[in-house]
Amino acid sequence: MLIKGYQNLLIECGTDEAGRGCLAGPVTAAAVILPEHFELSFLNDSKQLSEKNRFKLRPKIEQQAITFAFTHIYNQEIDDINILNASMKAMQESILQLQPLPEFIIVDGNRPIFSKLGLKNKFGKIFTEEEISTLKRIPNESIIKGDSKYLSIAAASVLAKTYRDEYMDTIHEEFPMYNWKKNKGYPTKEHREAIKKYGPCKYHRMSFKLLPDQLCLDL
């Protein structure tokens, strides 16, 4: 059974991301503040849930949440600032959208969420000094496998995953040859074979290794 909160004195949000290991599309993060008496019996880490159950859970999470937000960081910005920084920035942007702002943050992973702020990015949102100062003031805790331990992180993981999957389904219609409706941009054999045959498109992360060493692109 998942734990309701890391601490009980401050307004706490959980945050998580989806799509970090993909070859195409955005990395998507969500942040959510849940009420004290929040309950959803089968809520868990999104990776442990079927697609059908994730989409069943999303409206229930959103209806009960005090506040929630999600953010896409697109492939151009991922290539610009790298995937780790992009994942962190997506969570930071989501937190800034919450009303009220959290007083404490728990994040899935093993890295401080605010270790890098105000990156010199060519694409996407640029943080103001006030936003950087606001984020720096919020205490936070990184929790390994937090999405399978805490309700708010699990809820954030479901939101991030479902909103990213919807985006990939949309761009699948533009480039159906990669079958993103099925693989969601992950490095499956089918996806890589399509990259080999058709080459990469505008949604691919060009800083990633799109094909294994034994294959090459004729660019």
Side-chain angles (χ1 to χ4, degrees):
M1 188 171 179
L2 301 188
I3 304 168
K4 289 191 175 181
Y6 185 82
Q7 52 76 53
N8 299 312
L9 299 176
L10 302 172
I11 298 172
E12 180 177 287
C13 94
T15 185
D16 199 7
E17 53 75 25
R20 187 165 157 181
C22 295
L23 303 180
V27 61
T28 303
V32 61
I33 297 174
L34 298 176
E36 182 180 353
H37 300 295
F38 174 87
E39 285 188 12
L40 270 180
S41 58
F42 62 101
L43 176 59
N44 203 340
D45 165 19
S46 64
K47 296 185 291 295
Q48 305 301 318
L49 299 167
S50 67
E51 181 178 25
K52 181 179 179 181
N53 281 338
R54 286 194 295 266
F55 277 96
K56 278 186 177 179
L57 280 167
R58 191 173 83 183
K60 298 178 185 297
I61 293 167
E62 294 178 349
Q63 288 162 11
Q64 293 190 53
I66 293 171
T67 182
F68 69 91
F70 71 93
T71 301
H72 296 309
I73 299 287
Y74 297 99
N75 53 296
Q76 297 94 334
E77 189 169 0
I78 292 170
D79 288 338
D80 184 30
I81 64 174
N82 81 46
I83 186 59
L84 176 59
N85 289 332
S87 299
M88 292 294 180
K89 187 167 181 279
M91 290 188 278
Q92 294 160 7
E93 287 192 36
S94 297
I95 290 163
L96 284 171
Q97 295 177 61
L98 298 177
Q99 292 294 329
L101 282 171
E103 298 170 335
F104 193 89
I105 298 161
I106 53 175
V107 55
D108 181 49
N110 61 359
R111 295 174 181 269
I113 189 173
F114 300 141
S115 58
K116 290 190 178 181
L117 287 166
L119 292 167
K120 297 185 183 300
N121 48 303
K122 299 174 186 175
F123 306 93
K125 177 180 174 59
I126 297 175
F127 290 141
T128 66
E129 290 299 321
E130 182 180 358
E131 287 171 331
I132 292 171
S133 178
T134 296
L135 290 171
K136 283 182 175 179
R137 287 197 300 267
I138 306 173
N140 57 90
E141 186 71 31
S142 303
I143 301 165
I144 296 172
K145 296 185 178 178
D147 50 4
S148 61
K149 296 176 182 177
Y150 290 92
L151 279 170
S152 61
I153 302 180
S157 76
V158 168
L159 297 185
K161 175 64 175 166
T162 53
Y163 278 110
R164 186 182 186 281
D165 283 358
E166 280 186 343
Y167 179 88
M168 297 307 295
D169 289 350
T170 298
I171 63 174
H172 165 87
E173 301 303 321
E174 189 177 354
F175 293 97
M177 69 282 279
Y178 303 111
N179 203 10
W180 290 331
K181 196 171 184 67
K182 180 181 178 183
N183 63 55
K184 309 305 183 190
Y186 282 92
T188 62
K189 181 180 179 181
E190 173 192 43
H191 188 186
R192 282 188 151 142
E193 286 178 349
I195 295 171
K196 170 62 177 172
K197 182 175 181 179
Y198 299 105
C201 74
K202 64 182 180 180
Y203 296 112
H204 280 102
R205 304 174 184 178
M206 300 309 294
S207 58
F208 276 47
K209 191 173 187 178
L210 299 180
L211 293 175
D213 291 336
Q214 64 267 33
L215 300 175
C216 63
L217 290 167
D218 298 322
L219 298 176

